Amino acid sequence: MNTRKHTYWKTAGLAVCVMVTLLSGCSSKTDSAGQADAGEKPAEQKPVTIRVGIKSQGYLTEDEFKRYITEPVKKKYPWITVEMSIYNAKGSKLSELVAAGNVPDIVITNNVNGMPEFLDLDLVTPLDELIQKHRLDLSRLEPQAVEAVKAATQRQDITALPYARNFHALYYNKDIFDKFAVPYPKDGMTWDQVTELAKKLTRDDNGTAYRGLMPNVPERLAAQLSAPFVNPATNKAGIETPEWKRVLDMTTAIHSIPGNSPILFNKEASDLFYKERTLAMLADINLLGDLSAFQDFHWDMVSFPVWPELPGTSPGIDAHLMVLSKTSSNKDDAFRVISAVLSDEVQMDMSRQGRYSVLKDSKIKDAFGLDLTWMAGKNLKAVNMTPAKPYAQTVYDKEGITAVRNALKASVKDGKDTNTALREAAEAFNKKIDEINAGK
């Protein structure tokens, strides 16, 4: 760098700023949340309470809520008090809260299957003006995270902001690999490669049945291919496609390894991995909260298995979102709550505690899990993959998930060919779509 030239421009810029300040005031700087100081505080700082609704503490525990939301907001905006409420209990479901006129100012959900409900209930409101007014710099966020929100709503405006997202990884039990003298998996392996590895580990040993691999729910493999459940052109089942057949062929091959059944999803699969410890490999999302309770368990992780033509590509963004309710009477202060959670300070704290940040900043990414002493020596870099392009989510996707999982069961348990299994699943899915439409 030419230091003399840099000094000249720095001095000249200072002089201009001084002159402008004398005339009308120099523009204020932007803080770590991408917000400017000017016009930030309301004319009268009247105390206000912002209610944040959470579907379950799987999003944020009470302690995490206090650490990442309540305390940072109170520190930055002392007139704002944040309260947490659970909105999925009986009598407090989102539709019931709408009917009662008691919707929280902010509601936390996800982009994968949460936003269509908000659209149906007419709860979303465009945030573009608030983003501009409060000078929140969206360029700080991963572009895929912003696009995931748009895909979830099928709108081009911003109606929610992500504050964290799940990562994807292949977890493995080191003891099983050591027991059978099989080399550990590596970053960058394909689904075919981990399937071959699973064949070496699926066996019965002195009455104990060891299983090589649980790929978990098939929709994650499809999300790597950006495959939607619904055909956007017809609003009908979109699972009879080459992408979905490829997913079903792969998951069927994995579960057809002798001894590698029955099919297990989610908690059943993770329990087999870290409680029973008879599963060698598990493809899953962020399990660190669960694994923290099993610190005697010898495990590690590598990158999520990939399709060969998409190296380094994980399933699309699975983000936790903060939705500012259309019914909120305190939209500016509610937006201040969202912006505080997106500050560098809070995002760095989340990252160090093992929550994957939606900010692009490499320093925040590199700090992932550093405060979790029990994670020392683990392959933390495995979580840094490029998310696939998001597919368009619909209100029918939950039924699509059921249809695809049933197709997998029909293929593995009933021996149906994957084309037939998908065709029958699509027929059942379309009936559900028609029922949903008839009930609107």
Side-chain angles (χ1 to χ4, degrees), residues 22-268:
L22 292 172
L23 294 173
S24 61
C26 211
S27 62
S28 60
K29 66 180 181 179
T30 300
D31 68 12
S32 66
Q35 292 176 297
D37 299 325
E40 175 59 24
K41 297 180 181 179
E44 295 181 19
Q45 297 180 5
K46 295 179 180 179
V48 64
T49 297
I50 299 298
R51 294 170 55 231
V52 178
I54 299 181
K55 197 168 188 177
S56 75
Q57 292 197 11
Y59 285 95
L60 290 168
T61 65
E62 289 185 15
D63 288 342
E64 289 173 327
F65 188 91
K66 181 179 179 181
R67 178 171 186 155
Y68 302 135
I69 301 181
T70 306
E71 291 178 349
V73 169
K74 181 60 69 174
K75 180 179 179 181
K76 189 166 186 177
Y77 308 113
W79 67 92
I80 301 177
T81 299
V82 183
E83 291 182 355
M84 181 178 80
S85 63
I86 303 296
Y87 71 85
N88 198 40
K90 185 177 181 180
S92 65
K93 294 186 181 298
L94 202 54
S95 58
E96 295 169 326
L97 294 175
V98 171
N102 192 31
V103 179
D105 298 278
I106 296 169
V107 185
I108 288 178
T109 186
N110 68 81
N111 67 294
V112 176
N113 53 37
M115 288 302 291
E117 181 181 17
F118 287 78
L119 293 167
D120 265 11
L121 294 171
D122 193 26
L123 278 180
V124 301
T125 186
L127 299 181
D128 303 78
E129 289 187 8
L130 286 168
I131 290 169
Q132 184 176 9
K133 177 180 179 180
H134 294 276
R135 297 169 186 165
L136 183 68
D137 183 4
L138 287 185
S139 69
R140 297 168 55 247
L141 277 65
E142 295 175 317
Q144 299 96 330
V146 177
E147 288 304 312
V149 175
K150 294 179 180 180
T153 60
Q154 298 187 44
R155 294 167 51 152
Q156 287 306 303
D157 55 0
I158 303 296
T159 56
L161 285 169
Y163 67 89
R165 69 174 175 89
N166 279 316
F167 63 80
H168 299 80
L170 180 69
Y171 301 86
Y172 65 95
N173 183 328
K174 299 174 80 171
D175 288 340
I176 294 178
F177 278 83
D178 293 343
K179 180 180 181 66
F180 299 123
V182 176
Y184 297 151
K186 299 178 181 180
D187 289 331
M189 295 186 78
T190 66
W191 282 109
D192 284 324
Q193 289 172 328
V194 295
T195 300
E196 291 303 310
L197 198 57
K199 293 176 182 178
K200 300 176 182 178
L201 297 157
T202 305
R203 63 180 77 181
D204 186 284
D205 184 76
N206 294 323
T208 299
Y210 291 95
R211 301 179 60 178
L213 170 66
M214 280 293 103
N216 217 314
V217 293
E219 57 266 26
R220 290 194 188 124
L221 284 75
Q224 288 179 287
L225 299 171
S226 305
F229 291 98
V230 174
N231 184 329
T234 63
N235 222 26
K236 294 292 185 180
I239 58 176
E240 289 185 89
T241 63
E243 291 80 14
W244 276 108
K245 184 179 186 305
R246 192 176 178 192
V247 168
L248 203 62
D249 285 342
M250 177 58 67
T251 49
T252 296
I254 293 170
H255 288 295
S256 297
I257 296 172
N260 202 44
S261 59
I263 300 167
L264 299 177
F265 298 141
N266 299 320
K267 187 177 185 301
E268 288 185 320

Side-chain angles (χ1 to χ4, degrees), residues 10-27:
K10 183 176 180 180
T11 305
L14 179 60
V16 170
C17 189
V18 169
M19 290 178 66
V20 172
T21 301
L22 292 172
L23 294 173
S24 61
C26 211
S27 62

